[in-house]
Amino acid sequence: MTPVLFLVLLLLSVPVALVLALTAIGYIWASGNTVLYDSFAQKMFAGIENYGLLAIPLFMLAGELMNEGGMTRRLINAARVFVGGFRGGLAYINLLANMFMAAIIGSATAQIAVMAQAMVPQMEQEGYDRGFAAATTAAGGLLAPIIPPSMMFVIFGVLAQIPIGDMFLAGILPGLILAFAVVCVIATIGFVQGFPKGEWFTASEAASALLYCLPATLIPIAIVGGILLGIATPTESAAVASLIAFLVGWLVYRELKPSALFGVFRRTAVNASMIIFMIAAANVFGWVIIYEALPQKLAAYITSVTSDPFVFLLIINVMLLFVGMLIDGIAALILLTPILLPIAIAHYGISPFHFGVVVCLNLALGLLTPPVGVGLYIAAAMSKTNPGQVLKSLWPFLVAVAAVLLLLSRFPVLSTALI
């Protein structure tokens, strides 16, 4: 009964958090172990009683304050200083600005929405196809779940009970490799299609752009530097970054008004609460997983197929690619980590950090693949084009990301070298 209830609710497009909670309630009722109802609320609360989860709303708050304070435009201008003069310069600016944003926002969907509004009109004005401009922005958004700070890394770290700071370190090299792969795709397409040549800033323009961007760079420095130097936890770094974003936007750039804070806090609270509630519901759904012994059953099946860790990861990658096409990445992460991680560690000796990087990048791909593809639809909506046109230009980027995913699966050291 329980699997049927789960699938029916999922197919009816019931929010995933409610699917998890209602499935757990149905399982308790079907099993007759109704005493579990008494501790249902306690179990949900226990799922979010984790200090590390506070980093999620704080990173979201930092991103909201940064957007409201006019820092996005200045980061784009700074990116133009370094790559703006190359052929196809705006495409590289898009990617480099996405890297800057990834070190601040940590959310792929938020990043795609912000960058699509900022970059697609500029690229179209200079002769780029609108679908390609939106596809480049969407592909750059995949850096957010990998380059620290990453909301998916925070959630995975909490679920796996591993240090979130170390999880951030594990994403640095994979994030740089992914960025290089996207650069190669842009360069190849630019060579074939003959992208327009960019223009370099003059020395005075470059100095001005970098000077105006300098205060905004304090945010990623505070986040990544605080963690790398061991000065602050990820949660504390997120709080410091939020404070810096507010002060810079208010006192330096003078674009963030204190009167706008209520709207910023409200958007942050609404977006963060959806994720937190999902985690709480996943904790009670853990009852179903425990009582049905799903990890043990799945482990017995997979280990009968292969004993090779790389082949195991290939099987998991194929499964997650399919799941990511149907379920939101964060929801899939919350749902599947408690099932798959014990198998990876106990039966294949895979590092949880390596496994986390592979799983998060894989599920991030689902943001850009139909039929769900939230990131794909956001990029299309913000660039005022249809998803099919974006997807037509997006497939070379998806192939490149899939190749990086295979590379990371085959060589664990790429994820664990900095830990």
Side-chain angles (χ1 to χ4, degrees):
M1 172 188 168
T2 304
V4 174
L5 177 62
F6 177 81
L7 290 174
V8 168
L9 292 173
L10 207 58
L11 292 173
L12 289 175
S13 298
V14 175
V16 174
L18 292 179
V19 172
L20 298 177
L22 292 173
T23 302
I25 292 172
Y27 182 82
I28 294 170
W29 179 79
S31 66
N33 195 8
T34 53
V35 70
L36 292 177
Y37 285 133
D38 296 336
S39 55
F40 192 90
Q42 290 177 325
K43 193 71 174 176
M44 289 192 74
F45 181 76
I48 58 175
E49 195 180 18
N50 188 302
Y51 173 72
L53 286 177
L54 187 58
I56 293 175
L58 287 172
F59 279 129
M60 285 183 165
L61 178 60
E64 289 283 354
L65 290 169
M66 187 195 74
N67 294 334
E68 196 75 27
M71 286 170 240
T72 304
R73 184 176 68 257
R74 290 169 174 86
L75 288 172
I76 292 173
N77 278 338
R80 188 182 290 270
V81 172
F82 298 104
V83 294
F86 293 123
R87 183 171 296 280
L90 267 184
Y92 295 115
I93 291 168
N94 195 338
L95 177 63
L96 191 57
N98 265 298
M99 290 184 67
F100 291 156
M101 296 281 285
I104 299 171
I105 293 182
S107 167
T109 50
Q111 183 169 320
I112 290 170
V114 170
M115 293 303 297
Q117 287 178 307
M119 289 302 304
V120 171
Q122 288 190 43
M123 292 182 70
E124 188 177 19
Q125 189 176 356
E126 294 199 17
Y128 293 85
D129 175 71
R130 185 185 298 182
F132 173 78
T136 305
T137 305
L142 290 181
L143 295 169
I146 303 300
I147 291 181
S150 161
M151 195 182 306
M152 293 185 80
F153 281 0
V154 172
I155 295 171
F156 182 86
V158 170
L159 294 173
Q161 297 183 343
I162 57 176
I164 296 172
D166 289 346
M167 194 66 226
F168 283 176
L169 293 178
I172 293 177
L173 283 180
L176 294 175
I177 294 170
L178 183 60
F180 176 74
V182 176
V183 165
C184 291
V185 172
I186 293 173
T188 303
I189 296 175
F191 177 77
V192 173
Q193 296 186 1
F195 283 163
K197 193 175 185 309
E199 293 184 6
W200 294 106
F201 275 164
T202 63
S204 61
E205 289 173 336
S208 177
L210 292 176
L211 183 63
Y212 279 115
C213 179
L214 201 57
T217 61
L218 291 174
I219 300 174
I221 290 173
I223 295 173
V224 180
I227 296 170
L228 287 177
L229 298 175
I231 299 172
T233 66
T235 302
E236 292 164 349
S237 296
V240 171
S242 298
L243 178 61
I244 293 173
F246 169 67
L247 293 176
V248 169
W250 178 35
L251 300 176
V252 179
Y253 295 146
R254 300 184 182 277
E255 293 189 24
L256 176 60
K257 307 299 180 186
S259 58
L261 287 179
F262 177 78
V264 169
F265 290 147
R266 183 180 178 277
R267 289 194 299 272
T268 302
V270 169
N271 293 331
S273 64
M274 292 189 291
I275 297 173
I276 300 298
F277 179 54
M278 201 183 302
I279 294 172
N283 206 49
V284 294
F285 184 76
W287 278 337
V288 179
I289 294 173
I290 292 170
Y291 282 100
E292 288 295 318
L294 290 180
Q296 293 87 335
K297 292 176 182 177
L298 187 60
Y301 173 73
I302 295 179
T303 52
S304 69
V305 175
T306 181
S307 59
D308 189 327
F310 177 58
V311 177
F312 165 75
L313 285 177
L314 289 181
I315 295 172
I316 296 303
N317 276 325
V318 172
M319 182 183 76
L320 291 181
L321 283 172
F322 177 74
V323 170
M325 291 180 183
L326 303 174
I327 305 176
D328 175 72
I330 290 178
L333 182 69
I334 294 169
L335 182 64
L336 296 175
T337 297
I339 300 174
L340 299 176
L341 183 62
I343 303 173
I345 295 174
H347 294 274
Y348 293 95
I350 297 173
S351 162
F353 302 101
H354 175 214
F355 189 74
V357 169
V358 171
V359 168
C360 289
L361 178 56
N362 191 309
L363 293 175
L365 265 177
L367 290 168
L368 303 180
T369 51
V372 178
V374 177
L376 173 65
Y377 295 119
I378 288 175
M382 292 299 176
S383 58
K384 298 179 181 178
T385 185
N386 65 76
Q389 187 178 354
V390 178
L391 190 61
K392 182 180 177 182
S393 300
L394 188 62
W395 72 263
F397 295 101
L398 297 180
V399 171
V401 175
V404 172
L405 187 59
L406 285 176
L407 185 69
L408 295 176
S409 300
R410 182 65 183 86
F411 300 104
V413 68
L414 296 176
S415 303
T416 58
L418 300 179
I419 301 173

